[in-house]
Amino acid sequence: VDVSPMSPVLSNGTKVNGNLIIQNMRKYTLPCGVKINGHLFVRNVERLYFCGDFTVNGNIYVNRQSSFGALPKGAKINGQIML
């Protein structure tokens, strides 16, 4: 997911089978109920927000040009957050 018009649009409850890469944006809000069966990569996103609960069945990788807001209480991360 990035600022390109060809980038996929995520909506509430989207299931991603594989890794999800969010990149090259000033800010982005991950929709509620997203389930990622892989890793979440956050690259060059000034601020990542979370609509609500989500699931990542892998790690969350955040590069140094990125940051994210508070994790919702019901978020499920079956790996680690790698900064």
Side-chain angles (χ1 to χ4, degrees):
V1 177
D2 62 20
V3 294
S4 166
M6 300 299 288
S7 183
V9 176
L10 300 179
S11 57
N12 291 344
T14 297
K15 293 180 183 175
V16 178
N17 289 318
N19 298 327
L20 176 63
I21 301 169
I22 301 173
Q23 64 184 8
N24 302 327
M25 287 186 261
R26 188 169 168 268
K27 62 182 177 176
Y28 182 77
T29 301
L30 188 70
C32 298
V34 169
K35 294 183 181 182
I36 303 165
N37 291 319
H39 302 295
L40 172 61
F41 293 89
V42 183
R43 292 190 278 205
N44 304 327
V45 178
E46 204 170 296
R47 186 74 166 181
L48 175 64
Y49 298 96
F50 303 100
C51 166
D53 297 345
F54 65 94
T55 301
V56 177
N57 288 320
N59 296 325
I60 298 177
Y61 296 95
V62 183
N63 78 345
R64 67 176 72 178
Q65 289 83 24
S66 301
S67 66
F68 57 89
L71 293 172
K73 194 171 193 170
K76 295 179 184 134
I77 303 167
N78 295 321
Q80 299 177 0
I81 298 175
M82 311 292 284
L83 302 173

